[in-house]
Amino acid sequence: MRVTAIVPAAGSGSRMGGAEPKQYLRLAGVPLLSRTLLALTASGCVDHLVLVVPAGQEPRCRAEILVPYGIAAERVVPGGADRQASVGAGLAAAPADSDLILVHDGARPFVTGALIRQALAAAAEAGGAVVAVPVTDTIKRADETGTIRETPARAGLWAAQTPQAFQARLFREAHQRAQADGFRSTDDSALVERLGCPIRLVPGSRDNLKVTTVLDLILAEALLRAAAGGG
Ligand code: CTP
Ligand code: MG
């Protein structure tokens, strides 16, 4: 099975604020995005790596993110206006011989080899797989006036993370169909679900956080300290 990892890292990090995109921020000295890519390559499961970065930043990413850490990415391609467009750009650059596509957010540096392997195995068997964790807050659906319309039972609700893995043929079809139908989502699996394909849920870990806000950055630093034995 040839596995291609697509890493969308073309966002602007608006919720983080700050002068530059969060992928360049250093966590204990190493750029966030380098950490994510090193975790992926260390899994030993990835045959091809396609990195998607903000248009025009390909040289900077090679110089700051890839080269200093000896990370080999087959392709570094410009992303699009939303995450789905960026993953689509990565998919267009994926080698034709890919059997499985693994999508993993550039902003999730704590992914483990075990999670990657479980996602790939489930996708190979079922068609697609999503790493997710049970929600801990009760979820409300509200309308545009701020009035609550629905409170779904918490049992059975999961927060989707990445990695997400899909059989390549299925994922390409899902992107084409979403494009044709004008369907947009921040979640890769949502595109495949609407084809009616069953997707396997892989229980993940809250450690696999997406660095989105300054609070996440503080949490990420604390996780790294704990892993280094510093408490
Ligand atoms: N992403 C992308 N292309 C986009 C938007 C997002 O490749 N047009 C990537 C981000 O770089 C990130 C991942 O998708 O690795 C998850 O997105 P998110 O955490 O929302 O990152 P940003 O979009 O950069 O942050 P924000 O939404 O706060 O602006
Ligand atoms: Mg975003």
Side-chain angles (χ1 to χ4, degrees):
M1 285 280 204
R2 308 291 291 170
V3 174
T4 295
I6 297 173
V7 177
S12 56
S14 57
R15 284 170 288 182
M16 182 66 70
E20 59 178 1
K22 63 190 181 188
Q23 41 274 46
Y24 299 108
L25 290 178
R26 285 174 191 263
L27 283 177
V30 178
L32 172 60
L33 181 53
S34 304
R35 286 191 177 275
T36 302
L37 297 173
L38 286 168
L40 282 173
T41 53
S43 74
C45 298
V46 174
D47 298 298
H48 307 288
L49 181 61
V50 178
L51 176 60
V52 190
V53 301
Q57 296 201 10
E58 298 90 329
R60 180 177 178 194
C61 277
R62 286 192 186 279
E64 275 183 46
I65 304 289
L66 299 178
V67 173
Y69 303 96
I71 303 165
E74 246 94 342
R75 309 287 306 273
V76 180
V77 299
D82 61 14
R83 187 182 176 287
Q84 183 176 323
S86 294
V87 172
L91 192 54
D97 73 347
S98 310
D99 299 303
L100 292 174
I101 302 286
L102 183 96
V103 184
H104 185 64
D105 290 325
R108 289 189 195 268
F110 297 110
V111 64
T112 61
L115 275 184
I116 293 167
R117 274 188 292 280
Q118 287 170 45
L120 289 170
E125 203 177 287
V130 172
V131 171
V133 291
V135 299
T136 53
D137 291 324
T138 296
I139 304 294
K140 303 281 184 187
R141 182 188 300 282
D143 64 20
E144 56 288 345
T145 71
T147 304
I148 290 170
R149 290 297 171 202
E150 194 193 348
T151 305
R154 198 169 63 197
L157 287 183
W158 296 74
Q161 301 180 335
T162 68
Q164 301 191 3
F166 308 94
Q167 292 174 11
R169 192 182 33 79
L170 189 61
F171 197 47
R172 289 188 202 277
E173 188 189 336
H175 265 267
Q176 279 158 13
R177 288 274 287 274
Q179 196 64 33
D181 299 344
F183 177 81
R184 308 304 298 173
S185 179
T186 53
D187 181 64
D188 307 295
S189 169
L191 277 58
V192 184
E193 288 159 34
R194 59 193 291 282
L195 301 184
C197 300
I199 305 290
R200 193 76 63 74
L201 200 145
V202 175
S205 154
R206 293 177 69 83
D207 287 10
N208 179 30
L209 60 89
K210 180 160 68 69
V211 178
T212 308
T213 64
V214 172
L215 178 62
D216 298 318
L217 211 50
I218 293 167
L219 273 173
E221 297 269 12
L223 282 170
L224 283 174
R225 270 200 307 278

